[in-house]
Amino acid sequence: MAKYRCTVCNYVFDEEKEGKKFADLPKEWVCPVCGVPTSSFVLLAEKPVEAKKQGRTVSEVLVDQIAEWGVTYVFGVPGTSTLGVLDAIRKNSKIKYIQVRHEEVAAFMASAYGKLTGHVAACLSVSGPGATNLATGLYDASLDCSPVLVLSGMVARQFIGPGSIQEIDQHSFFEPICVFNKILMSENQTTMLATLAVKTALLDRGVSNIGIPNDVQKLPYDTPILPFEGRMPNLAFGVEESVIEKAAQAIDFAERPVVVAGFGCQGQGNKLIELATKICAPIVTTFRAKGVVDEDHPLLAGCHGGIGSTAAAELVTKADLLVVIGASFSDFTLLPQKRTVQIDINMKNIAKKYPVEVGLLGNSAVLIPKLTHKAQEKKNPAYLNEISRLKEAWVKQLSKEADASARPIRAPYIMKVLHDKVASDAVFSLDVGENCWWFGRNFQMKKTQKMVMSGLLASMGSGLPGALAAALAYPKRQVICVTGDGGFTQVMGDFVTALKYNLPIKVFLINNKRLGMIMQEQKLEGYPSNETELFDYNFADFAAHSGGVGIKVTDPSQLEAAVDKALAATKATIVDIDTDPRRFP
Ligand code: FE
């Protein structure tokens, strides 16, 4: 009998207590506390870790404890100062070690896993270089509020300070990256630090690090494992009715309200549509929230900001009220200062950039329905007509851009072919660069699909690790990596990780033989193209020589068949597509 955690409110579904299997719940079942669907739940533990075995170590207690709290994957490169923890992972059947070729990939994988599932995965690194190699992926998690657990090996206690091989001031190194950063100095701290690390990563939405000195890992220690239930607050909270009333009044008086949905609306597409329908407002999303509502829904006007639609831009410009939900007002989304009602679970996010008329602190899963209930029903056919006219013009524009005959192959055409062929529940991992720009702008997502990207850090090299994490988190779903020749090259050694673990990810590589986005910026700023050309490398050959499937596409007429072949492949695949580097010819 298993237990499942609601990643939105922390409610635990216990199969034994409920007398039924989670998998057998009807499709319309929602979390009884916060109302999100079963897709927002993660498996905690199949069955509790057995009480006290004889002769355990600190490492074994630590690993058993995090496994009990639903940590199912540890990503890392084995090394001298993690042997104790690594062996404890081997002994625990609930937790799986995924060996990668570079710690940066491990950290990006954990970050992507957190963003996709709302739950914690761990990365394990050795002291010194292993720890510092994690930094970029961990900063990605930190900036995008993804819960991640780091188990970092350290030199034995007597060498922390005096110095040794692979010894750095590791605690200080992790300090600016982490929401929780502690060194496991004594066996008695093991359970407390393990549970606090997972709890803090989930509640503060960031990176927790436990530094584990080499000698401590091997100390004999035994103690009972603590269950998750009863040790986490339920997060289905919201402000009192009078504040919701005030927000509803602001909406009632608005003639052109626009709902802005951010990443904090994950799993709440239906509730957003109910709100938008009742108050007669279009929905625009941030890039990271792309797909939270079906992009072909009549009220969805597209993304706002750098990759945004003309419809979203015009509707936001002309809006007299923004209802901003779970969005951080980033420089990418570029929301203007307007009368605003804002919902956010993090009180520091409310009125972070501009003053707001009403700030609603709480869980959007709870507050969206309450606001919908309190707001008056509006009828505004002229506004609805305008929304549909603007959207139609944008969709027409995208369709015009997807020119199947243009040579060299145009990125919008690649997006169109992918859109037409991938599964309706595919999971996408985007890299950073032109590939990401085109996906954000031209790919129309479905609510049943998922997407992960490096949002605020915008780090190249995040695409492949995100796809590896997605394939582990969703083994039955199609996993699509959209990447470029620049970003992929930073992490391509880990393509073999997909082969080693039989993860049949499909990599669509927009090969423009350039750092295309930077070339674009040089052009915009009046610089000549300089040092942005990349060596013309054949990634299809690389995939095939590695033991995967490699498909080279040089002409648009080959693209559809190549995508079909890739999607049918049972092994990790790279489709290397020679693509026009220009944004608009
Ligand atoms: Fe819930």
Side-chain angles (χ1 to χ4, degrees):
M1 288 306 219
K3 292 178 181 178
Y4 291 80
R5 167 183 172 248
C6 171
T7 55
V8 173
C9 78
N10 285 324
Y11 168 77
V12 174
F13 182 94
D14 183 339
E15 289 185 336
E16 198 166 352
K17 276 189 207 152
E18 300 285 338
K20 56 188 144 197
K21 287 276 190 195
F22 187 76
D24 296 339
L25 290 170
K27 223 179 151 192
E28 62 280 5
W29 187 90
V30 291
C31 171
V33 180
C34 75
V36 292
T38 50
S39 56
S40 295
F41 279 69
V42 289
L43 176 68
L44 272 183
E46 294 282 358
K47 59 178 178 21
V49 170
E50 314 82 79
K52 224 168 172 185
K53 287 183 280 183
Q54 282 300 304
R56 284 199 294 182
T57 62
V58 163
S59 294
E60 287 168 52
V61 171
L62 176 77
V63 168
D64 288 354
Q65 183 60 65
I66 62 170
E68 178 66 24
W69 281 40
V71 178
T72 19
Y73 288 108
V74 181
F75 313 123
V77 182
T80 313
S81 53
T82 54
L83 297 179
V85 178
L86 189 68
D87 196 56
I89 295 167
R90 178 184 64 83
K91 288 178 181 166
N92 186 307
S93 61
K94 294 179 183 176
I95 202 161
K96 192 162 170 14
Y97 189 81
I98 302 292
Q99 174 220 75
V100 296
R101 299 303 179 108
H102 195 289
E103 290 86 353
E104 180 187 353
V105 171
F108 271 129
M109 285 174 75
S111 179
Y113 187 92
K115 293 178 207 180
L116 285 166
T117 66
H119 203 70
V120 172
C123 26
L124 179 65
S125 80
V126 294
S127 60
T132 56
N133 277 347
L134 291 173
T136 309
L138 296 185
Y139 268 111
D140 177 64
S142 168
L143 267 60
D144 281 354
C145 300
S146 178
V148 166
L149 175 64
V150 180
L151 305 173
S152 56
M154 298 180 81
V155 294
R157 282 172 292 182
Q158 71 267 31
F159 299 119
I160 298 175
S164 175
I165 292 286
Q166 296 191 325
E167 200 264 347
I168 59 168
D169 184 356
Q170 203 161 301
H171 182 77
S172 299
F173 170 78
F174 278 112
E175 194 62 16
I177 309 177
C178 291
V179 291
F180 180 94
N181 181 30
K182 306 291 172 195
I183 301 176
L184 180 45
M185 293 299 284
S186 142
E187 57 267 49
N188 299 322
Q189 302 172 310
T190 309
T191 306
M192 198 64 183
L193 287 189
T195 52
L196 277 176
V198 177
K199 182 173 177 169
T200 310
L202 289 173
L203 293 178
D204 287 353
R205 297 175 178 76
V207 180
S208 284
N209 171 49
I210 307 177
I212 318 155
N214 203 347
D215 57 322
V216 177
Q217 291 175 30
K218 296 149 195 170
L219 293 176
Y221 184 54
D222 239 331
T223 192
I225 297 304
L226 306 178
F228 181 86
E229 291 150 282
R231 290 182 171 82
M232 282 291 273
N234 190 285
L235 294 181
F237 70 94
V239 282
E240 57 180 68
E241 295 292 310
S242 62
V243 188
I244 298 166
E245 185 82 46
K246 216 177 144 202
Q249 278 168 10
I251 294 172
D252 294 344
F253 284 116
E255 280 172 13
R256 299 180 62 95
V258 173
V259 175
V260 181
F263 193 69
C265 295
Q266 284 281 305
Q268 291 160 53
N270 292 344
K271 291 176 184 172
L272 283 169
I273 289 167
E274 280 165 29
L275 171 67
T277 306
K278 187 169 182 192
I279 67 170
C280 194
I283 301 169
V284 308
T285 72
T286 64
F287 191 174
R288 281 190 71 203
K290 190 176 169 66
V292 71
V293 171
D294 285 330
E295 292 203 73
D296 59 5
H297 189 280
L299 285 177
L300 197 280
C303 294
H304 194 265
I307 48 88
S309 72
T310 47
E314 184 162 343
L315 289 163
V316 167
T317 303
K318 290 185 179 166
D320 60 356
L321 181 79
L322 301 180
V323 182
V324 181
I325 308 171
S328 66
F329 285 84
S330 79
D331 294 341
F332 200 83
T333 307
L334 287 172
L335 291 173
Q337 184 169 0
K338 292 259 173 188
R339 283 181 61 212
T340 297
V341 166
Q342 188 182 1
I343 294 177
D344 209 286
I345 199 163
N346 180 347
M347 64 176 89
K348 288 178 198 156
N349 277 351
I350 291 182
K352 184 174 161 188
K353 194 162 181 182
Y354 305 122
V356 296
E357 193 156 309
V358 190
L360 303 172
L361 178 66
N363 195 321
S364 55
V366 173
L367 288 172
I368 299 170
K370 286 195 171 180
L371 194 56
T372 307
H373 179 71
K374 279 263 193 278
Q376 281 171 18
E377 188 161 2
K378 283 178 199 277
K379 295 263 183 281
N380 191 346
Y383 194 30
L384 289 179
N385 280 342
E386 185 184 343
I387 296 164
S388 94
R389 182 175 50 76
L390 288 169
K391 184 161 178 189
E392 204 176 302
W394 174 245
V395 170
K396 219 167 165 183
Q397 164 74 21
L398 295 186
S399 146
K400 203 173 112 191
E401 287 171 11
D403 183 352
S405 60
R407 293 178 173 80
I409 303 172
R410 297 286 301 148
Y413 176 58
I414 301 171
M415 296 306 146
K416 186 198 177 293
V417 174
L418 285 178
H419 170 270
D420 292 348
K421 293 190 179 283
V422 299
S424 60
D425 66 344
V427 185
F428 299 92
S429 174
L430 311 185
D431 213 310
V432 164
E434 288 296 278
N435 55 86
C436 175
W437 194 87
W438 284 114
F439 183 92
R441 187 174 175 283
N442 288 54
F443 192 95
Q444 302 285 293
M445 272 183 74
K446 294 180 180 71
K447 192 176 68 181
T448 43
Q449 296 171 330
K450 266 183 173 285
M451 183 266 282
V452 66
M453 63 184 286
S454 174
L456 276 174
L457 189 65
S459 176
M460 279 170 68
S462 56
L464 177 68
L468 296 172
L472 292 165
Y474 306 104
K476 291 178 186 157
R477 294 169 73 165
Q478 206 174 59
V479 174
I480 309 286
C481 175
V482 176
T483 184
D485 46 336
F488 187 75
T489 317
Q490 293 195 347
V491 290
M492 64 193 273
D494 266 290
F495 182 71
V496 299
T497 302
L499 296 168
K500 174 174 166 123
Y501 292 99
N502 298 314
L503 305 174
I505 58 168
K506 322 296 183 201
V507 179
F508 292 92
L509 197 149
I510 311 299
N511 192 346
N512 53 22
K513 301 153 198 3
R514 280 173 184 71
L515 296 169
M517 184 168 272
I518 310 309
M519 182 196 78
Q520 185 67 25
E521 287 168 4
Q522 286 174 329
K523 192 175 155 190
L524 287 170
E525 294 190 31
Y527 293 106
S529 277
N530 179 29
E531 295 294 346
T532 43
E533 290 199 5
L534 295 174
F535 178 73
D536 185 0
Y537 186 78
N538 189 323
F539 296 91
D541 282 354
F542 162 74
H545 289 155
S546 307
V549 178
I551 306 166
K552 183 76 184 174
V553 177
T554 55
D555 189 85
S557 61
Q558 303 163 330
L559 187 62
E560 290 204 33
V563 174
D564 286 335
K565 189 177 166 193
L567 296 179
T570 53
K571 282 184 187 178
T573 300
I574 296 177
V575 184
D576 176 349
I577 309 165
D578 284 349
T579 310
D580 190 347
R582 298 166 300 173
R583 265 205 193 153
F584 299 104

